[in-house]
Structure formats: structure tokens, C-alpha cells
Amino acid sequence: MITKTTHSLFAVILALLLFIVPMPSNANTVDYSIDTGFGIPYGTLGIRGSIYTDNLRFRLALGFLGAGIGGDVLVTDHVSIGGTYASALPYENVRVLNLTYHFNSRFDEGWSLGLDLGEADEYCGLNCTQETRETNRPIIFFHAGYLF
């Protein structure tokens, strides 16, 4: 079972990796990009800023109904796998594995389409209690976006 402490630890580690890992070196150059789309990696419907090297990308998303942080690794020129930790209505504490197909190779300008598999906690607004809240609910979503 995943606890709140595990969620917080995951978010802190991912945030640290966002700033530490992509530092410039002789082997890799660091690039920045902005893309927009819908799905968990975009905060439901929003924009995403990314820092990436040849085959590794770290991203922050801000959407109309949520926000998230995540990363991807290219496994082929067109396919990447990664993870996202987000809060995206109607869920919070969303933890998903992302599988994304990039129509242009790598993290180049163009369209992408993907699948998100994971779990999330039901959003608990003013009309619910922690006892009635559903946690660790399995979720499957699609995402799509355009990288500028």
C-alpha cells in the first residue's frame, strides 16, 4: 500500500532529479520545450514545460484542472516510457506510468499520443469524509499533445 509519506518522497525525488540530472555535460546538451495537450501529464488540459537531453526528459505541467510533475525515457526513436505524479480532477495523488508514441522522432516538434496506467485517490471536496473517500483506485487514461 502506498502511503502519504511515499507520495511526498516520490514528489521530492522527482523534483530534485528535475534540477540535478539534466545539468550540462560533454556528452549531452540540455534543451527546453513547451507543449500543450490533454490528459494526466498535462494537468488534465494545459501546458507543460520540459527540460530534456538526448533521451531523457523531465516535465512540469499546469492545467485548468490540475498540475503534475514527471519524467520520460526514450526506448526507441518514437516511443517513450515514464511516470507522472499529479493532481488532476476528479482525482488527487495520481500516480501513473506513461507510454507515449511521438509521431516525429525523439522529443521533436509535433504530435504525441499515449496511454496512462496507474492509480489515484478520489478528490475529497467539501461534501465527503475520509471514511467515504475511495483511495488507490486503478485508472486508465489517454493523453495527446503537441510539442512546439
Side-chain angles (χ1 to χ4, degrees):
M1 175 184 261
I2 298 176
T3 64
K4 290 279 187 189
T5 304
T6 306
H7 296 166
S8 300
L9 182 61
F10 178 73
V12 168
I13 290 170
L14 205 49
L16 288 174
L17 288 174
L18 179 67
F19 295 106
I20 294 171
V21 172
M23 293 297 177
S25 69
N26 293 337
N28 295 323
T29 60
V30 176
D31 291 313
Y32 306 89
S33 66
I34 299 286
D35 54 331
T36 185
F38 71 91
I40 299 296
Y42 297 94
T44 307
L45 177 63
I47 61 170
R48 181 171 72 177
S50 301
I51 299 171
Y52 63 95
T53 62
D54 293 335
N55 63 351
L56 184 64
R57 173 173 65 175
F58 296 99
R59 48 191 163 70
L60 290 170
L62 180 61
F64 290 111
L65 301 174
I69 185 170
D72 295 289
V73 175
L74 282 168
V75 292
T76 71
D77 279 345
H78 293 276
V79 177
S80 67
I81 60 170
T84 301
Y85 181 82
S87 180
L89 290 179
Y91 303 107
E92 59 185 9
N93 298 322
V94 179
R95 299 145 328 258
V96 294
L97 174 68
N98 313 109
L99 178 63
T100 307
Y101 180 80
H102 306 272
F103 289 95
N104 294 338
S105 65
R106 303 208 163 270
F107 298 127
D108 294 335
E109 179 179 327
W111 290 99
S112 65
L113 183 64
L115 180 66
D116 307 316
L117 303 168
E119 62 183 19
D121 300 337
E122 180 183 34
Y123 175 72
C124 191
L126 298 175
N127 297 326
C128 77
T129 64
Q130 292 297 336
E131 292 80 26
T132 61
R133 179 180 179 196
E134 188 176 345
T135 59
N136 299 325
R137 179 179 185 172
I139 58 171
I140 298 174
F141 281 102
F142 292 99
H143 66 266
Y146 187 83
L147 178 69
F148 297 98

